[in-house]
Amino acid sequence: MGKLQGKTIVLGVCGGIAAYKAAALTSKLTQAGADVRVIMTESAVQFVAPLTFQTLSRNPVFVDTFDERDAAVVSHIDLADSADLIVVAPATANMIAKLALGLADDMLSTTLLATEAPVWVAPAMNVHMYAHPAVQLNMQTLAGRGVHFIEPGEGQLACGYVGKGRLAEPEEIAAVIERFFAGAGCLAGRHVLVTAGGTVERIDPVRYISNDSSGKMGYAIAEEAARMGATVTLVSAPTALPCPPGVRLVPVQSALDMREAVLERLPHSDLVVKAAAVADYRPATAAERKLKKQSETMTLELVKNPDILQEIGECKTGQFVIGFAAETNDVDQHAMDKLQRKNCDLLVANDVSQAGAGFGVDTNIVRIFDRSGMVEALPIQSKKEVARRLLELAASRMAAVGAAAEPEGEL
Ligand code: PMT
């Protein structure tokens, strides 16, 4: 049975010379068992005939939004709803811009706007177009919304230039899609405990100490873990984010609350991911009433919070533990130190001084470490993508060592 058996993949083909490679991609995806439905832009039709894709996919090809062939459905909505995944290959600078802006003026852009399926984009264009700040910004915007990119290759381009912009090879695109679906169930049966957000340490009923964590990284991990089949509990400090679908939310405020919620659930967990930014110190006392303005200066006495991750590292009984490190300097050194000191299986370091990484933003740039050193350095990508790669790594390591703890009942 093909690796894509039972999957419906919508392939969007834009107008570029690399459109001919999309024919090979259609063939590969079809051979892997996918039901491939092709949408071409008007410009793509200038390069390759729709009949090529119809013959390879054994499905009708869509070009014109108003060419409705089945009165029972609205074609672009039907395509958007039926897709398990949409891949745009080749994606032109124009289509990327339309997608970033939410424009819907042809069959492909309309379908892309209407779908809830994961979207993969494989750009192909001239080297200078690809490097143009407008294109890069559009891709960054889309990455932040969870669109996945398959980077173009470097080499001789059809326009005569040599550089980056060549559509990734069809084999590579098909392999990325196969890996995506293979990862979908890789945490089935596992209990995953995720922490997120910045803890709130009360000074009085209206004032507190906290940090810039938005919770986006932890929520993305919880969402992806649920998508990969896990039973997920998210212990979250206050954030503005909605609870991801299928995830059990345990709201907490302070580091002490978080510690209690996490340690209580630790014995029932197979995988713990500590993405929360836990305050290292809290006010020695939290006033019960609003503090009144008095003298010119005020001294706040702080006491150390327990290190939850370190405690987990000391008392874990087979759980796979992932820590995070938010650093601004000597990232690798601090990461390895934290990994060892807190007895983590993996540690994810983000240099929060880099643009597009760390607190608040939709993207992250991380380096993942284990006891032997750096395992992977991920380029800038959406927090969802970081989450997926991290969880895939954890799942394969857990499978290899049989790291699952026996579930001891309901979480
Ligand atoms: O929430 P976002 O806006 O998306 O931002 C994401 C993030 C930057 C918060 C996230 O990627 C991240 O780096 N989280 C960890 C931040 C942090 O507290 O790092 P740290 O180096 O201070 O702590 C190291 C590890 O120990 C972390 O896993 C932390 O959860 C844990 N810790 C720290 C202190 C403490 N008292 N208890 C802990 O468990």
Side-chain angles (χ1 to χ4, degrees):
M1 198 166 85
K3 290 180 178 166
L4 298 175
Q5 201 67 44
K7 301 293 178 203
T8 299
I9 296 179
V10 171
L11 168 62
V13 183
C14 302
I17 183 60
Y20 81 92
K21 284 191 184 175
L25 177 60
T26 306
S27 170
K28 298 231 163 298
L29 297 174
T30 307
Q31 281 173 38
D35 180 21
V36 182
R37 315 248 173 106
V38 178
I39 304 176
M40 300 178 75
T41 63
E42 297 279 359
S43 312
V45 174
Q46 301 292 323
F47 289 91
V48 186
L51 185 60
T52 305
F53 292 102
Q54 178 177 312
T55 310
L56 290 167
S57 69
R58 289 171 225 120
N59 274 321
V61 172
F62 295 85
V63 180
D64 179 0
T65 320
F66 302 103
D67 180 18
E68 295 286 8
R69 295 162 214 181
D70 180 356
V73 296
V74 176
S75 296
H76 65 276
I77 301 297
D78 186 46
L79 283 164
D81 288 349
S82 67
D84 292 303
L85 179 147
I86 300 191
V87 55
V88 185
T92 53
N94 185 50
M95 184 55 69
I96 290 170
K98 286 205 274 189
L99 193 50
L101 281 173
L103 295 181
D105 62 354
D106 64 9
M107 184 68 178
L108 180 54
S109 54
T110 309
T111 307
L112 284 165
L113 209 57
T115 195
E116 290 191 319
V119 174
W120 291 78
V121 169
M125 62 195 78
N126 164 272
V127 58
H128 299 314
M129 286 172 86
Y130 185 70
H132 195 286
V135 175
Q136 290 296 318
L137 187 63
N138 286 334
M139 290 200 298
Q140 208 170 318
T141 302
L142 291 172
R145 283 188 212 144
V147 171
H148 314 277
F149 283 88
I150 303 170
E151 278 206 38
E154 289 192 33
Q156 182 73 45
L157 303 177
C159 56
Y161 279 95
V162 175
K164 194 166 183 171
R166 203 160 70 173
L167 181 69
E169 295 306 319
E171 296 75 18
E172 189 191 333
I173 300 174
V176 167
I177 292 171
E178 286 176 8
R179 275 205 302 277
F180 174 79
F181 284 117
C186 66
L187 284 174
R190 305 286 194 183
H191 287 80
V192 178
L193 181 59
V194 183
T195 69
T199 62
V200 164
E201 313 296 332
R202 283 275 155 212
I203 299 169
D204 70 11
V206 298
R207 302 182 181 94
Y208 58 82
I209 299 173
S210 191
N211 57 65
D212 286 332
S213 172
S214 63
K216 286 177 182 173
M217 190 66 248
Y219 277 58
I221 293 167
E223 183 171 353
E224 284 304 302
R227 203 187 58 80
M228 290 177 172
T231 303
V232 185
T233 304
L234 174 61
V235 176
S236 177
T239 72
L241 303 172
C243 179
V247 169
R248 190 169 305 177
L249 181 71
V250 181
V252 295
Q253 292 271 326
S254 65
L256 291 180
D257 298 341
M258 184 172 276
R259 175 183 176 274
E260 194 184 326
V262 166
L263 293 184
E264 186 188 325
R265 287 164 178 82
L266 183 64
H268 316 300
S269 305
D270 302 312
L271 167 62
V272 183
V273 191
K274 285 232 63 255
V278 184
D280 288 324
Y281 293 90
R282 67 178 185 278
T285 52
E288 282 185 13
R289 292 181 173 193
K290 185 182 170 194
L291 294 173
K292 289 289 166 207
K293 188 167 36 177
Q294 283 169 340
S295 50
E296 282 306 303
T297 60
M298 181 186 168
T299 305
L300 198 60
E301 192 192 349
L302 300 178
V303 293
K304 212 170 187 180
N305 268 328
D307 192 313
I308 309 167
L309 182 57
Q310 191 152 343
E311 278 191 63
I312 295 171
E314 281 160 7
C315 70
K316 68 180 183 181
T317 53
Q319 292 86 348
F320 194 93
V321 177
I322 304 178
F324 269 72
E327 306 292 347
T328 52
N329 56 285
D330 303 316
V331 177
D332 294 10
Q333 200 183 318
H334 289 310
M336 281 307 283
D337 171 59
K338 279 182 185 165
L339 179 121
Q340 274 151 6
R341 206 158 30 84
K342 304 192 184 197
N343 194 20
C344 299
D345 295 283
L346 289 175
L347 191 122
V348 184
N350 31 201
D351 178 348
V352 294
S353 64
Q354 275 184 284
F359 294 100
V361 287
D362 292 326
T363 51
N364 211 349
I365 307 166
V366 306
R367 293 155 81 82
I368 305 174
F369 295 81
D370 70 6
R371 285 187 176 274
S372 60
M374 199 183 71
V375 185
E376 273 184 41
L378 302 184
I380 184 165
Q381 50 192 260
S382 71
K383 284 182 173 167
K384 260 193 194 181
E385 278 184 288
V386 172
R388 179 170 321 112
R389 183 62 203 129
L390 179 63
L391 292 170
E392 277 172 6
L393 206 57
S396 67
R397 290 185 174 216
M398 288 165 73
V401 297
E406 274 305 305
E408 293 180 11
E410 268 295 279
L411 284 182

